[in-house]
Amino acid sequence: MTNTSGADLKALKHKGVAIIASTGDEGFNGGIHQMWPSNLPSVIAVGGVTLPATGQATAWWAAGSGCETDFAAANGQPASVTAACGHHRAAADVSADADPATGLAVYDTDAPSSGEPNDWTIVGGTSASAPYIAGLYARAGHLASVQGPNTL
């Protein structure tokens, strides 16, 4: 476990700042430790779902999930969520579409390595879902009370 105390931990805990981190793309990890810094109680951990054009959203198989036994429950995390983790930090707090088959559409204006023409493409992974959630926080405003996932 790295960076669980001191200056690194303090740098990721600021009231009024929505600090977002992806849970990673390694799937369920056995329930012991989560990817840093998404494991921190002050960080909003973003996982992933598959969001098909029709039908129900489902958990994306590769989104990081499990328990962080080095920390108590995240700020505002419901007891019903943390119960499976012995009342420790559970991941993820929120999810967005992260499946590369159904993910976010982006317009690529520079694709020199692929040789593909400028065009729309679909991207995925929790490295796509986390910035999406960060954008929702930024768009919503009113961040004064944010201190971790307690304001989802």
Side-chain angles (χ1 to χ4, degrees), residues 3 15-16 26 28 46 58 75 78 81 84 86 97 106 116 118-119 121-122 126 129 134 149 151-152:
N3 302 319
K15 186 169 178 149
E26 298 175 11
F28 179 70
V46 181
T58 58
N75 302 338
V81 172
D97 197 345
V106 296
E116 296 293 320
N118 296 347
D119 203 354
T121 188
I122 304 297
T126 57
S129 61
T151 56
L152 289 173

Side-chain angles (χ1 to χ4, degrees), residues 27-99:
F28 179 70
N29 69 5
I32 298 173
H33 297 297
Q34 297 304 296
M35 183 176 280
W36 186 88
S38 71
N39 63 336
L40 301 175
S42 61
V43 171
I44 300 158
V46 181
V49 296
T50 297
L51 191 60
T54 60
Q56 293 277 42
T58 58
W60 179 48
W61 67 270
S65 64
C67 304
E68 177 52 67
T69 56
D70 282 348
F71 294 111
N75 302 338
Q77 202 166 50
S80 61
V81 172
T82 64
C85 292
H87 301 286
H88 287 94
R89 179 39 159 147
D93 298 308
V94 65
S95 292
D97 197 345
D99 186 332

